[in-house]
């Protein structure tokens, strides 16, 4: 839509990656100091702020005005939420059970994402059908 070349479009997605790298490194050092809960809450707030920022993106919006800060905020969420989540999932697992606990965490995340996507897609189709049938 914006006519970006493939390389430019790829570079435009790097702020999210940058946010993940920064937040994962920071979270791994902050979890022992402040605990996992504040970081996980902060991750949710950062994601909400990123989505709010991106909601103001228009066709004529410059990259540095809204998309860059919005993507950066969204990128800060995974590191600040998933690093503490992994720590919490593996607490109390012995060295023989750590692999099984990690596998359960991964499987739970994958199943949850699949179910969440299916539910949200069903809700979206229902909303679109209801909207178009009234027109």
């Amino acid at each position: 839509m914006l006519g970006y070349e493939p390389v430019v479009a790829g570079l435009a997605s790097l702020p999210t990656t940058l946010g993940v790298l920064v937040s994962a490194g920071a979270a791994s050092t902050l979890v022992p100091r402040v605990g996992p809960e504040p970081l996980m809450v902060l991750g949710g707030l950062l994601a909400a702020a990123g989505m709010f920022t991106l909601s103001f993106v228009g066709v004529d919006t410059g990259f540095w005005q809204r998309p860059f800060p919005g993507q950066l905020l969204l990128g800060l969420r995974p590191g600040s939420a998933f690093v503490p989540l992994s720590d919490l999932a593996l607490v109390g697992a012995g060295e023989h059970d750590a692999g099984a606990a990690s596998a359960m965490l991964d499987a739970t995340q994958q199943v949850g994402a699949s179910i969440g996507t299916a539910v949200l897609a069903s809700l979206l189709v229902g909303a679109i059908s209801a909207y178009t049938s009234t027109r």
Side-chain angles (χ1 to χ4, degrees), residues 45-96:
L45 293 174
L46 290 169
M51 292 301 290
F52 182 74
T53 303
L54 289 173
S55 70
F56 295 104
V57 172
V59 177
D60 297 329
T61 305
F63 177 73
W64 298 106
Q65 289 175 308
R66 298 271 188 240
F68 178 80
Q71 288 182 42
L72 189 61
L73 286 169
L74 278 176
L76 292 173
R77 189 228 176 235
S80 61
F82 292 138
V83 169
L85 177 66
S86 297
D87 283 351
L88 287 174
L90 298 176
V91 165
E95 57 182 80
H96 298 296

